[in-house]
Each structure stands twice: as C-alpha cells, then as structure tokens.
Amino acid sequence: MGLFLLRRLGVMILTALCLTFVVFFLTNLSPNLEKLAKTQGNMRMTDDEVVSWLENRGYDRNVFARYGEWLGVVPGYVVEQPGGFRGRCFGEADEVPPGASTFCGVVQGNWGFSSVFREEVGSIIATRLGLTAKLMGFVMLLMVPAALIIGVLAGMREGSRLDRGLSSVSIVSTATPEYVSGVIFITVFASSAVGLRWFKGTATGAMENATFENFALPVLTIALYGIGYIARMTRASMAEVMTQQYIRTARLKGVSFPKVVLKHALRNALIAPFTVIMLQFPWLLNGVVIVETLFNYKGFGWTLVQAASNNDIELLLAVSVVSVFVVLVTQLISDIGYVWLNPRISVT
Amino acid sequence: MSHSTDRIHPAAKMHATEYQAGKISRREFLTRATALGVSATAAYGLIGAAAPAHAEQHTMDGGTLRIQMEVRALKDPRVTDWPQIANIYRGWLEYLTEYQADGTIRPMLLESYEVSDDATTYTLKLREGITWNNGDAFTAEHVAHNFRRWCEKGVEGNSMASRMGDMVDPDSGTIKEGILDVQDDLTLVINLTSPDIALMASVSDYPGALVHPSYDGGDMTSGAGLIGTGPYTLEDLSVGVKTVLVKNADHQWWGAEAEGFGGASLERIEYIDYGTDPAAWLAAIESEEVDMLYESVGEFIEIMDSLDLVKSETITASTIVIRCNQEAEVNGEKPYADVRVRKALQMAVDNSVLLELGYSGLGEVAENHHVCPIHPEYAEVDNPVVYDPEGAMALLEEAGMADYEHELVSIDDDWRKNTTDACAAQLRDAGIRVNRSILPGNTFWNDWAKFPFSSTDWNQRPLGVQTLSLAYRSGEAWNECAYANPEFDAKLSEAMGIADADERRVIMKEIEQLMIDDGVIIQPYWRSIYRHYTQHVTGAEVHPLYEIPQYKLGLSA
C-alpha cells in the first residue's frame, strides 16, 4: 500500500511538471506576451512600448530559464531600468534590497503574482477554490442521493414502467448540457419573461451569503447533468446485480423484496457508481466553468476563464497544478474505495 | 455658481448672437461658450435663458448604492484605458474641469479659467480652500506637477501626452520649457507655443485625474495612490469581482460647500462586476442585486423598459468606425492603399441600414467623416457619400480588385458584431466578396490598430478636432487607418488653432470632405447611450462619456 501511494505521488509530480511546462510554454508564446503587455500596460500601446514593457519585466528571456525561475531552481531576474531596479523577488526598488532572496518559486512556496487580479496567486486560489467547494458541496449533497435513489429504483426491476419512466428522465437530464439547462432555468424561473421569478438569475450574492433563492439554480443546473449520468450507471449496475444467482436464491428463500435490494444487492451495485461519483469531482472542478460564468459566481472555473483570457501566466500555472492534484487524488480515493467495496480487487 | 469671471470671451458673445439668429443650437452654443471659459450660468444668461435648476429630489443621507460595472485593476490615471477604471478612482481623484451631459464644461477644482483670444494663453484660477485628504493644501504647483506628468511621452501608454499636443517637446518627450508659469498658490498660467482650443476639454477626460505629487505611478490602491481631493476613499478592490468606495470621514471635501456641487450623500458605493454579457446585467437588476447599470445595450433596452426602472438616455458622439488600414499588407500587397477600393467599400454601404440592423436604430445616421452634429464645429459637407452598390463594383473593377476577398474583423460582442455583420451583408449584396472574422475581446484589442479591415468603437470627445487629431493625424499611435495625408494634417493643425468655432467650421468643412474623398472610414452612425436604474436612485443620469461622478449619486428618501 505504501509503495502504491508513493508511486502515485511520483506520477502526480511528474504530471504536474509536464502539464505546467506545456501551459508555461503556450502562455509565453510571443502573441500571448504581447496580449499580456497590452492588458497590463495600456490596451493601445505601440509595438515599441510593448517590447520595452516586456524587457523591463524579464519576459524577453529563454523560456526554460523562466520556467526554472517559476519553479524556484533558477535565480529570479533582476532588470536595471531608469530610476531603479525591478526583480522577480523584490518588485521595484531604487537599489536591490540586501536581504532579497535569489530564488523565489514554487519550491520556496511562492506561487507568484496574478497580473490580472493584482494579488498573490496563493490567496486567489484559496478564495476561489473555497467558493467552488461551497458550490460543489451543495451539488454533491443534491446529486449523489438523488442519482442513487433514481438508479436503484430504476434498476431493481429492469423493464418495468418505473424503470422506463426514470430512465427517460435521466437520459433527458444527462443529454442536456449546462449551458442549455442553465439558460432555460433562468428564463423560466428567474426572469420577468415568464414571470415566475421564484429564484434569482445570478449567484453573485451567493458568494457572500448563499440563500435558497440565489443558490438553487446554479446548484440544480450542475446537479441535473450529473444526476442523469450517475443514475444511468447505478441502474445498469443494479440491473446486473439483480440477475445474479444469489439474489434469486435470496428471493426464493422468501426474503422480502426491499430487504433483498437494500441488504443483498445495493453494496455490490455501488461499485461502478462510486468510481463515477469520484470522477465527478475533477469534472465538477472544471465543468463549473460554464455555470460559474453563466451565474456570475466567481469560483475556480471563473478564475480559470479570467486567467486564460488575460494570459495570466502564474495564475494559470497554479490552476493547472490544482487541477492535476484534484484529478489524481480523487482517482486515488476511488482506487482505495474500490478495494474497500470489493475485496476481490487489490491495489498491489 | 461660484465660478465667476467678469470678462466674457468676445467669441462667446458672438455665438450668443448666432444662437439668437438660429444659426446654432443651444447645445452647440453652450459647448462653445463654456469651452471659452464662460460659466454655464453666464452662458445661459448670454442667450437670455435661465440655467436649468437641477430637479431637487429629496435624497437621504447615507445609504449604499450598488452599481453593475466591470471592475478592472486600477492604473496610473494617465495610462488609464477604460472609463470604468476612472469611475472607481473618481471617488477620490478629481479633475480641473468637468464635461457635463449637456455639452458644457464647468470648472471643478478650478474656480475659473480664461483663454486668450488666440487660444495660446490659459489662466487657471484654483478654487480656494481645497485640501488633499492627507491634509496638504491643493496648490497651483500641484496642478503644474500634473501637467508635467501628462507630458511625459516616454511613459508606456500615457494617453494624456497626445492630448497635451504641442506642450510636449518631441526630442526630450517631456514638457517644453516656459509653458507653465505658477504665479501664486492659486494661479497657474499656461503659455502654449501653438493655439489649442481643446485644452480645458482635454483635461476633463477620464485619464486627466489629478494625483498628489507624492504619487509615483505605482499602486493606486494604497499609500500615495489613495491621496486625492474627493469625498470618497477605497475600501476594497477585488478585480473582476467587486470594489467598494466609502465616504472618507476624515476628509473635509471642498464640494460640500461649493455652489453647484454638494451631494456626496451616499455612505457606500459598491461596483459589482457581472462580466460582459448584457444578459447577466439584466439578471442582476432583475434579481435586485444592483440598483443601477453602467449601460443598457441593444435589445436589452427594450426588455428593461418593460421593467419598473428609470431609463436615462443621452445622445453622444460615440460611434463605430469600419476602417481600412491603408498600410496593412495582405499576402504581400496593400489592398487598401488604393483610394478606389476604399471609396467602393464606402459606396456599397447604406449607413441607415447599419444603424437599423446593428444598433436597432438607437442613434443618428453619420456621414463617414467622424465629426458629429453635436460638435460645435460640425459643418455639413457638400458631397456626401452616396449609396451606390453598382458604382462601387464598377470602381473595384477599375482598380482590378473585383475578385478580392476582404476579411472583415470585429470584436465578439453585441452591437459591434451586429453592425459589422450588417456591413458585410451589404458588401456581399453589392457583389463584393467578404469573409467575416469575429475575435474575442482580448485577442481583438491585441491587434486592433493593425487589422487590414475591421471595426472599432470610438468614444466621444467634446470637440470634433480632438478625435480627428487622435485618430487620423499621420503617425499618431491610435491612427488605425494608417491615414497619412499632409494636406489633412496641415488643415487640422490650422483648425486646432482657431478658437472661434464658426471660423473653424469653414476649414472643418474641407477636412470633412477630405475624409470622405479619401475614403478613410465607413462610419455608419452616432450612438445614443442608455442606462436603467431603480426608482429610488438619484443623480444617476447616463453621461455621454460614461462618467459616474459619485458625488452626484444618491438614494431618494
């Protein structure tokens, strides 16, 4: 088990390194740097101004050296400019401060500075991830029980009217992307166009104070897609288990149907949905991009959009690292959970 | 109004006669007279009208107002490129003059100003008793300091430098010697080397906010960046999310006593960012999460009209320009260097259709020369562009460009995209091959001035010559058409030296005709702009330059 975890950790670090380098390379292509200069300086800067802006901030050097700088294994740049110095590790100063460190990268715990939000990347990620966690928490609370109940009810009697009905519902819900369901929800339940106005069409207020009124629609929009998907998985798995010999034996022994479902079938039927549920976490993390943008809820997905559209290099890198971490950790949990649910499987 | 000057500029009196003779509109008269240093009250007096008493709505003291607006990172004011940014620091940084929605310019931090008849000497008198919020007295030396900052051409993205015109020494990139003359604590005389009639309008523009001498161009959200003369201060700024201004309790704001100002009744002003999708703005005001929008656009205007909201409207000299870059190379050739090609594109487009399809008819049809009827020097041209698709095709054939496929670029948004689409459709109707590209905002602005054929939106400036000098003079940074015509440059410099708008109009007419004859731009319409806010908001009328002067805002009791 220990070796398994260690191996997984190694894979995680390697993946993160590869991915961040790819992101780093792409964000440092010269048109992207020009975009950065213009969004940070003045949108209508001339080409010469862009070049001098980039030089003054150390963007004109080798991409490998700069990646190493970000990692913290290459010394940070120091540029002399009219009226003082500018360095990665100390910002702007008249003189290079004597106490300034040479290395300041991820290894030293410095995740850098977001050029668009003008804030430490670490604190942005913490706030935005917290907000998305709140959204995801409510989504999970709604999605998992609802999906399991629908799946189990549909799968326990394959082909019954209940099965057909619930299956249709879940196919429809999983076939509707968020950008469709979200817009329909807003139109029907939040706008004066239909006039119901039960909920609010924006979740901006929910960041500080989440209420049923302002949080229901985004939560429902995300959950609905997942509910259908997980319910289909649960149903398939449940239907398969219900045809097993031991279920028939239990039935023939005179065990009541509800008892057969709950005691004998459920645990075995949950193995497949469990993986799917764990895979929903990374999916939610980035899948919320649409919903967060639609409802103006400023979480992790929104941050990703902002970072990408403004070519905010260090923020994008941190977002990638977090994503790698979440994907691999949830996979790890799902592997361990597998073992727990099914003793026949072993991680080693 | 406390702004008073005994001397009334002779040209202003002349304009008054013109107004009475019905030669100019009241709005034009007011812009011209106030640009010459006449107070608004006096200007109204000259034409025998009473200055409009601002409707006294009962505003309550205190309260929180929530405004939907993009929240961008603050920048040194002189490099600011978005009015939204200025609408945040406007809370604590103020301006020498204020351009008002009715076209008048009124002194703000100035008590008054006088312009010599040849528009080369400006005498600025500061309002007495103004202090910075750190306790320092506001002096003429501080104003001089700001003029010097504005003239630093070497600063990347300093757009004030182009507004300062000839004050900037082209060699050193700083202000010329002998321009500024601080006579005493409250008097600054500016001796220009060449006439500039737009100076007082230029300093009212959003990058013209006055900063404290200790501000070094760095962070605006702390330290010296927060030293200003205004009534509010920054509590919190979270880019892309929200920013909060609160009443500065430790600061005695000059405007509380000054006649014509006052207000600043709100305790707290929150700007909340709802992104760039107007549907989200609608959702925000419908869900009562904001009290006021920054702007209502396109089809949403009608939807918002159906809600229980106040609608405010103003006509502007803001516009969209569909232009060819004359120097742009496509596959090794310069398709738009030939005036026949540019003329053909103009002739193939019916501007009124673009207004109807692109902007739902919410504006006025324009005449392809970028001078608006609300500009004081506007002149009607003798030979406007005539819609003639067949003639256009014939011209293209003559130029050997009939088969050329034009790539027409626009930003991906509501009205700019629609207008450009309508333009492309009209060109296709005329038999011209057009390929449309729609780019997201950041990608678009990356290259906005370089696209061979694209559309750009331009905000209004108080005088017609200002936009022309910013956008069409040879070699200007914002000259997206790469237009370089020495005749145009010479005429424009001449026009910029004529303080009298009537005399200027004579030469303006030639300039406008030159713009048309050279086929510089397709400029379909002038936009009216709109804003909606809830019934209890006061002083939130939309401003032609998108300014939100916080001191005017309030909540009705």
Side-chain angles (χ1 to χ4, degrees), chain B residues 308-477:
Chain B
D308 183 30
L309 298 171
V310 180
K311 178 193 197 178
S312 161
E313 173 183 352
T314 182
I315 75 161
T316 72
S318 303
T319 183
I320 183 167
V321 163
I322 301 166
R323 92 293 180 284
C324 310
N325 185 311
Q326 304 177 9
E327 288 301 311
E329 285 195 23
V330 185
N331 301 329
E333 38 183 330
K334 294 179 178 170
Y336 303 111
D338 188 339
V339 66
R340 288 174 297 186
V341 177
R342 305 195 302 263
K343 281 303 288 179
L345 294 173
Q346 272 188 338
M347 283 156 64
V349 174
D350 181 353
N351 287 350
S352 62
V353 174
L354 265 57
L355 172 60
E356 195 52 47
L357 295 181
Y359 205 56
S360 317
L362 302 167
E364 297 277 332
V365 175
E367 297 152 321
N368 300 341
H369 54 58
H370 215 153
V371 181
C372 180
I374 68 167
H375 286 138
E377 66 270 57
Y378 169 82
E380 226 165 289
V381 289
D382 294 330
N383 301 307
V385 178
V386 181
Y387 173 59
D388 177 12
E390 280 106 41
M393 202 60 213
L395 255 183
L396 278 181
E397 267 157 20
E398 192 190 314
M401 292 283 285
D403 291 334
Y404 183 79
E405 187 179 41
H406 302 266
E407 190 191 9
L408 179 51
V409 180
S410 80
I411 197 167
D412 182 11
D413 86 330
D414 189 53
W415 65 280
R416 284 173 282 187
K417 188 183 78 196
N418 294 347
T419 306
T420 319
D421 281 344
C423 175
Q426 291 228 299
L427 293 176
R428 288 188 191 117
D429 286 348
I432 302 169
R433 294 171 61 206
V434 181
N435 176 26
R436 275 283 281 124
S437 304
I438 299 167
L439 303 177
N442 285 304
T443 322
F444 179 85
W445 288 118
N446 220 6
D447 287 319
W448 73 279
K450 281 187 257 158
F451 296 119
F453 188 28
S454 70
S455 61
T456 313
D457 57 312
W458 281 87
N459 280 343
Q460 94 162 36
R461 285 172 181 78
L463 304 180
V465 285
Q466 286 180 290
T467 318
L468 294 185
S469 74
L470 209 56
Y472 305 102
R473 245 195 322 208
S474 313
E476 277 296 326

Side-chain angles (χ1 to χ4, degrees), chain B residues 68-136:
Chain B
Q68 168 271 323
M69 186 181 82
E70 267 179 89
V71 176
R72 294 172 173 271
L74 297 187
K75 294 179 184 180
D76 182 345
R78 61 184 169 170
V79 306
T80 301
D81 44 3
W82 291 90
Q84 287 96 326
I85 299 175
N87 281 336
I88 298 172
Y89 61 58
R90 203 180 285 283
W92 66 96
L93 297 183
E94 294 178 312
Y95 296 79
L96 290 177
T97 57
E98 186 183 54
Y99 182 79
Q100 306 201 91
D102 65 356
T104 58
I105 294 160
R106 78 162 167 177
M108 195 173 179
L109 290 175
L110 297 181
E111 177 87 28
S112 67
Y113 56 86
E114 261 179 52
V115 193
S116 67
D117 295 347
D118 60 355
T120 53
T121 309
Y122 281 75
T123 310
L124 312 186
K125 286 243 183 289
L126 273 61
R127 213 176 269 278
E128 253 175 277
I130 298 179
T131 55
W132 297 91
N133 57 22
N134 69 348
D136 293 357

Side-chain angles (χ1 to χ4, degrees), chain A residues 24 27-28 33 36 59 66 311-317:
Chain A
F24 195 84
T27 48
N28 278 283
L33 287 181
L36 181 77
Y59 284 108
R66 301 198 24 244
N311 203 44
D312 192 339
I313 299 171
E314 291 182 331
L315 186 56
L316 265 178
L317 290 169

Side-chain angles (χ1 to χ4, degrees), chain A:
Chain A
M1 192 72 179
L3 195 69
F4 171 75
L5 287 178
L6 213 62
R7 213 163 52 216
R8 273 300 172 87
L9 192 70
V11 168
M12 199 185 298
I13 292 173
L14 203 66
T15 318
L17 278 177
C18 293
L19 184 72
T20 49
F21 184 73
V22 170
V23 172
F24 195 84
F25 183 76
L26 291 177
T27 48
N28 278 283
L29 293 174
S30 66
N32 282 334
L33 287 181
E34 192 183 330
K35 175 157 84 182
L36 181 77
K38 285 194 177 169
T39 46
Q40 294 315 303
N42 182 311
M43 210 174 57
R44 304 182 170 190
M45 282 202 295
T46 61
D47 291 349
D48 294 343
E49 288 175 328
V50 168
V51 170
S52 84
W53 192 94
L54 289 174
E55 268 172 16
N56 284 339
R57 285 156 185 81
Y59 284 108
D60 57 333
R61 291 156 315 127
N62 182 303
V63 69
F64 291 99
R66 301 198 24 244
Y67 181 69
E69 208 174 35
W70 175 76
L71 273 182
V73 295
V74 170
Y77 72 85
V78 177
V79 179
E80 198 181 338
Q81 57 181 39
F85 290 86
R86 187 195 296 273
R88 178 180 164 83
C89 303
F90 56 85
E92 272 182 282
D94 295 339
E95 286 289 316
V96 179
S101 50
T102 349
F103 296 94
C104 47
V106 173
V107 177
Q108 287 80 26
N110 183 344
W111 285 89
F113 195 76
S114 158
S115 55
V116 53
F117 296 111
R118 308 280 162 96
E119 227 180 295
E120 291 289 326
V121 166
S123 76
I124 296 174
I125 294 284
T127 335
R128 301 298 150 204
L129 209 53
L131 286 171
T132 295
K134 181 159 101 177
L135 179 61
M136 279 166 71
F138 280 101
V139 169
M140 285 291 176
L141 271 181
L142 174 69
M143 183 173 75
V144 174
L148 291 182
I149 290 170
I150 294 177
V152 168
L153 286 178
M156 66 189 186
R157 285 190 213 274
E158 204 184 353
S160 66
R161 227 179 243 180
L162 186 68
D163 178 25
R164 298 270 181 249
L166 289 175
S167 290
S168 307
V169 170
S170 33
I171 289 171
V172 168
S173 85
T174 198
T176 315
E178 284 106 336
Y179 52 83
V180 174
S181 51
V183 170
I184 293 176
F185 282 151
I186 293 180
T187 317
V188 176
F189 297 116
S191 80
S192 350
V194 173
L196 287 178
R197 301 189 73 167
W198 292 343
F199 301 111
K200 293 194 171 182
T202 162
T204 309
M207 291 190 285
E208 277 162 22
N209 175 26
T211 60
F212 185 66
E213 217 187 0
N214 62 23
F215 218 33
L217 287 188
V219 168
L220 197 63
T221 308
I222 306 180
L224 205 64
Y225 178 82
I227 286 175
Y229 188 55
I230 300 173
R232 292 293 295 159
M233 290 295 173
T234 317
R235 180 197 164 273
S237 171
M238 188 72 191
E240 196 195 326
V241 170
M242 289 303 281
T243 61
Q244 299 286 311
Q245 297 290 342
Y246 73 91
I247 299 289
R248 191 185 300 170
T249 312
R251 286 286 278 150
L252 289 175
K253 271 164 67 185
V255 182
S256 70
F257 189 71
K259 213 167 175 187
V260 167
V261 170
L262 291 175
K263 262 196 118 166
H264 299 261
L266 199 57
R267 182 168 162 183
N268 284 320
L270 280 185
I271 297 175
F274 179 75
T275 329
V276 176
I277 292 169
M278 289 320 291
L279 284 178
Q280 287 287 315
F281 275 101
W283 187 87
L284 273 181
L285 195 61
N286 294 307
V288 285
V289 165
I290 293 164
V291 171
E292 284 186 358
T293 309
L294 189 62
F295 288 94
N296 256 285
Y297 185 80
K298 277 131 196 200
F300 194 71
W302 174 83
T303 308
L304 174 61
V305 173
Q306 293 299 312
S309 62
N310 288 290
N311 203 44
D312 192 339
I313 299 171
E314 291 182 331
L315 186 56
L316 265 178
L317 290 169
V319 167
S320 331
V321 172
V322 171
S323 308
V324 168
F325 181 79
V326 172
V327 170
L328 294 180
V329 162
T330 47
Q331 272 180 9
L332 186 69
I333 296 174
S334 111
D335 286 347
I336 296 171
Y338 241 56
V339 179
W340 176 73
L341 282 170
N342 189 347
R344 280 175 299 187
I345 300 172
S346 155
V347 288
T348 40

